[in-house]
Amino acid sequence: TYMALGAGLPVIVSPMGGGGIIEDGENGFVIAPHDESKWIEYMRLMAESQELREKLSVHSKAKALNYVWDVVGAKRLRSLQNAEGQTR
């Protein structure tokens, strides 16, 4: 899911397959894993709408910037520093 975002690819995922990362309708779609009709509906929608794919792609690329090593590393460092400060 992270690599798809980085490549600017809109995705269709289940809640367990990336539901915490994908914002439904913004950079992809989050669908219940066993809702066959919804999976088919959204695959068709994405296949048929270039405008939708482009919109989701732009949002995917923007969201991916939250997951580059510099950003993630800085957040992790702050979390560790905060945790260390709370234990003293």
Side-chain angles (χ1 to χ4, degrees), residues 64-81:
L65 297 175
N66 294 318
Y67 301 107
V68 296
W69 282 113
D70 291 344
V71 173
V72 172
K75 287 179 184 178
R76 174 64 82 171
L77 178 60
R78 283 192 302 276
S79 293
L80 292 170
Q81 289 171 333

Side-chain angles (χ1 to χ4, degrees), residues 14-88:
S14 71
M16 291 191 61
I21 301 161
I22 300 302
E23 298 163 288
D24 190 48
E26 288 296 314
N27 48 20
F29 297 103
V30 182
I31 302 172
H34 301 290
D35 190 342
E36 183 179 316
S37 63
K38 281 288 185 196
W39 282 90
I40 293 167
E41 175 187 346
Y42 282 97
M43 283 191 274
R44 282 187 178 143
L45 180 63
M46 294 250 288
E48 294 171 357
S49 177
Q50 181 175 345
E51 182 180 333
L52 175 63
R53 289 191 311 273
E54 289 173 355
K55 174 195 151 215
L56 297 174
S57 178
V58 167
H59 292 154
S60 290
K61 288 178 186 177
K63 175 100 182 210
L65 297 175
N66 294 318
Y67 301 107
V68 296
W69 282 113
D70 291 344
V71 173
V72 172
K75 287 179 184 178
R76 174 64 82 171
L77 178 60
R78 283 192 302 276
S79 293
L80 292 170
Q81 289 171 333
N82 289 338
E84 181 183 48
Q86 293 174 1
T87 60
R88 290 184 179 200

Side-chain angles (χ1 to χ4, degrees), residues 5-20:
L5 285 175
L9 297 174
V11 295
I12 302 172
V13 298
S14 71
M16 291 191 61

